């Protein structure tokens, strides 16, 4: 049974009508919010987290957790992360053996229409499936106002700053909102201090750097790298921004196979691009081949892994090298 994410977010009790529910899609922010709500609303329930790679090493792990009684409470919730079709048989078997004391929630990335998991949860009436699509400006405005309800000084301009500064990524916006709550404990937002808190100037410079790199403008990249402050606390924000931009270009390129018109392709997408950014996107789309963009995503992902695993490496150096390398890989496309 297909469920709307915004309806589930409003009332988690809807999930009680289903034996198990899967959340899938590119919007990690929605999935994180759902996880937080599950933990908050079920304080007297034992929560067990399992990842797919753990299941692949131990096929009985999930079934054992479903079969065994909880040592800490009468009920328990199992959260299965990073699920793919590789463990479909294990999930199907586990769902069939669920009891009334155990709830089973699954979180996945994008699942295409041929996915076994997606088809299974869509067709079964007692199973729920929640597509987590990217937010648009309207839904993000609503999200910000809801999260900062009761804060004085909150305006449309401030909401736009938060959205623009986060590249419409709810996961980043969620972190920014937490910063705001931590700083403005009196619930009065000061715009000047807010801009300092969100490092608006630094992040704006980095967005210009992304644009120049993906356009292959070597001279501008070298200039901006020298003039941009790479703040240590923002290193993962930088890598996420770059990954998000290239991901959008990949999606537009893919959709354009049907339309053969980038303007139409952009308008057809679920995520929306700010009108002022559209000319840059169009230029970048003409500079890159789809296969090269997909290779760029792999390189960005590898760089992020290096940043997380090797504390001896200066992350800003990795990011700078990545931007320079991407700039040199730009390919002219007719």
């Amino acid at each position: 049974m297909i469920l709307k994410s915004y309806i589930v977010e409003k009332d988690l009790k809807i999930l009680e009508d289903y034996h198990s529910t899967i959340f899938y899609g590119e919007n990690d922010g929605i999935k994180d919010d759902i996880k937080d709500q599950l933990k908050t609303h079920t304080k007297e329930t034992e929560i067990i987290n399992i990842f797919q790679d753990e299941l692949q090493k131990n096929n009985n792990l999930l079934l054992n957790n479903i079969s065994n009684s909880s040592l800490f409470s009468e009920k328990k919730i199992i959260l299965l992360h990073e699920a793919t079709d590789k463990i479909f048989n294990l999930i199907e078997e586990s769902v069939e053996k669920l009891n009334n004391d155990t709830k089973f929630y699954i979180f996945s990335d994008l699942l295409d229409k041929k996915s076994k998991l997606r088809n299974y949860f869509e067709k079964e009436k007692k199973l729920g499936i929640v597509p987590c699509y990217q937010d648009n400006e309207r839904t993000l405005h609503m999200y910000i106002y809801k999260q900062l309800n009761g804060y004085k000084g909150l305006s449309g301009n401030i909401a736009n700053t938060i959205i623009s500064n986060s590249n419409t990524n709810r996961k980043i916006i969620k972190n920014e909102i937490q910063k705001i709550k931590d700083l403005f404990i009196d619930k009065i937002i000061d715009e000047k201090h807010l801009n300092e808190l969100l490092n608006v100037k630094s992040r704006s410079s980095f967005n210009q750097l992304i644009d120049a790199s993906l356009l292959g403008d070597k001279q501008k990249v070298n200039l901006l790298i020298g003039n941009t402050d790479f703040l240590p606390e923002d290193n993962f924000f930088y890598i996420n921004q770059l990954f998000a931009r290239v991901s959008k270009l990949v999606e537009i390129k893919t959709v354009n196979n049907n339309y053969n018109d980038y303007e139409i392709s952009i308008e057809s997408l679920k995520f929306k691009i700010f009108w002022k950014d559209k000319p840059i996107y169009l230029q970048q789309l003409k500079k890159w081949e789809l296969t090269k963009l997909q290779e760029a995503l792999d390189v960005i992902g590898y760089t992020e892994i290096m940043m997380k695993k090797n504390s001896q490496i200066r992350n800003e150096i990795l990011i700078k090298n990545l931007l320079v390398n991407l700039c040199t890989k730009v390919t002219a496309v007719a």
Side-chain angles (χ1 to χ4, degrees), residues 292-304:
K292 292 291 184 181
L293 285 170
Q294 291 168 331
E295 290 173 5
L297 284 179
D298 291 337
V299 174
I300 296 169
Y302 176 76
T303 302
E304 183 176 8

Side-chain angles (χ1 to χ4, degrees), residues 99-295:
N99 55 60
N100 293 330
D101 295 329
T102 302
K103 283 292 182 181
F104 183 26
Y105 299 108
I106 303 162
F107 297 88
S108 299
D109 289 330
L110 282 171
L111 297 174
D112 61 36
K113 292 182 179 180
K114 296 180 180 179
S115 165
K116 292 180 180 179
L117 277 174
R118 179 171 169 178
N119 285 318
Y120 177 52
F121 277 81
E122 285 181 347
K123 292 176 181 177
E124 294 290 332
K125 291 184 179 181
K126 279 299 181 180
L127 299 179
I129 182 165
V130 184
C132 299
Y133 300 121
Q134 289 291 10
D135 291 288
N136 55 41
E137 289 180 52
R138 183 181 65 84
T139 59
L140 288 176
H141 269 274
M142 292 171 60
Y143 180 75
I144 291 169
Y145 275 91
K146 179 181 178 182
Q147 296 297 319
L148 295 176
N149 182 39
Y151 279 73
K152 294 181 180 180
L154 180 61
S155 64
N157 184 52
I158 286 177
N160 285 334
T161 298
I162 297 171
I163 293 170
S164 177
N165 203 43
S166 307
N167 201 22
T168 68
N169 185 322
R170 189 200 282 214
K171 190 167 186 176
I172 297 174
I173 288 174
K174 184 179 178 181
N175 291 333
E176 304 291 52
I177 288 172
Q178 188 57 52
K179 289 181 185 178
I180 292 170
K181 290 180 177 180
D182 290 341
L183 177 64
F184 302 110
I185 55 176
D186 57 358
K187 291 193 173 184
I188 301 175
I189 299 175
D190 180 274
E191 191 165 354
K192 179 182 177 181
H193 290 149
L194 177 70
N195 289 337
E196 293 174 358
L197 174 70
L198 303 183
N199 300 322
V200 170
K201 184 177 179 181
S202 172
R203 293 183 178 186
S204 176
S205 296
F206 187 77
N207 286 332
Q208 294 177 40
L209 188 47
I210 289 176
D211 289 337
S213 177
L214 295 177
L215 287 173
D217 190 337
K218 297 179 182 178
Q219 184 176 357
K220 191 171 183 178
V221 167
N222 288 331
L223 177 64
L224 287 171
I225 281 181
N227 293 334
T228 301
D229 292 327
F230 287 80
L231 304 176
E233 63 269 25
D234 279 346
N235 282 326
F236 286 100
F237 167 85
Y238 298 143
I239 203 77
N240 286 332
Q241 289 288 81
L242 186 53
F243 187 87
R245 169 59 66 87
V246 177
S247 294
K248 287 182 178 179
L249 293 175
V250 167
E251 188 169 349
I252 296 169
K253 278 278 189 183
T254 303
V255 170
N256 196 56
N257 290 330
N258 297 326
Y259 297 104
N260 200 30
D261 185 315
Y262 287 131
E263 292 267 8
I264 296 175
S265 297
I266 288 173
E267 291 301 320
S268 72
L269 298 173
K270 289 185 175 65
F271 67 81
K272 297 301 177 184
I273 295 171
F274 286 116
W275 63 267
K276 65 180 181 179
D277 295 328
K278 190 177 292 184
I280 296 293
Y281 274 84
L282 292 172
Q283 292 178 55
Q284 291 169 348
L285 288 163
K286 293 175 181 178
K287 291 278 187 178
W288 284 82
E289 297 173 348
L290 179 58
T291 53
K292 292 291 184 181
L293 285 170
Q294 291 168 331
E295 290 173 5

